[in-house]
Amino acid sequence: MSEADDCLFCKIIAGQIPSSKVYEDDTTYAFNDINPKAKIHVLIVPKKHYANVAELAAADPAELAHIAEVAQHIADERFHGAFRLVFNTGLDAGQTVFHVHAHVLTGEVLDE
Ligand code: 5GP
Ligand code: ZN
């Protein structure tokens, strides 16, 4: 059994667990966070499983760049282009799902 077989976000991408889709293309999926920390809180994930942002950057830097562009696209459509992009990396940084995901926080003026 591979790491991806038991991964919550792989199951969401495969449609085995429901999610509220915001954006999708061949390589990338975005959906609303179940516990939003801002008025708009979207998670963007590569469809391929990588544990964290450093693994993704090493294996597929173009996909990491694409995730930044998708974040901009979502913020352009929903909040005049301003957004915060966060990758929690490692348990002690608050990472709880070990399939890399960008948190896109937008939709309101954010505190510093
Ligand atoms: P992390 O803490 O790993 O950086 O972020 C994981 C995020 O996934 C959290 O913000 C959490 O609310 C979200 N999350 C956890 N389980 C689910 C789920 O089943 N569906 C959705 N849409 N989000 C989830
Ligand atoms: Zn996964």
Side-chain angles (χ1 to χ4, degrees):
M1 186 167 115
S2 78
E3 198 183 358
D5 288 333
D6 200 33
C7 168
L8 174 65
F9 288 174
C10 282
K11 288 177 182 159
I12 284 178
I13 292 159
Q16 293 161 4
I17 292 174
S19 64
S20 156
K21 178 163 95 174
V22 171
Y23 172 89
E24 181 171 18
D25 63 31
D26 286 350
T27 64
T28 309
Y29 187 70
F31 55 105
N32 288 313
D33 196 294
I34 206 166
N35 180 24
K37 298 285 194 316
K39 196 163 174 197
I40 295 173
H41 185 170
V42 174
L43 302 175
I44 309 176
V45 296
K47 288 186 173 176
K48 216 170 150 194
H49 181 98
Y50 300 100
N52 60 48
V53 67
E55 274 193 17
L56 172 62
D60 191 351
E63 175 62 18
L64 177 56
H66 182 56
I67 285 170
E69 290 175 338
V70 171
Q72 182 69 68
H73 167 74
I74 292 167
D76 285 345
E77 293 224 311
R78 302 176 69 176
F79 190 62
H80 65 71
F83 65 99
R84 183 170 293 163
L85 193 63
V86 175
F87 291 91
N88 295 328
T89 306
L91 270 177
D92 287 347
Q95 186 175 6
T96 59
V97 180
F98 288 82
H99 180 132
V100 59
H101 49 282
H103 294 259
V104 183
L105 301 165
T106 183
E108 63 182 319
V109 176
L110 300 169
D111 291 340
E112 272 182 37

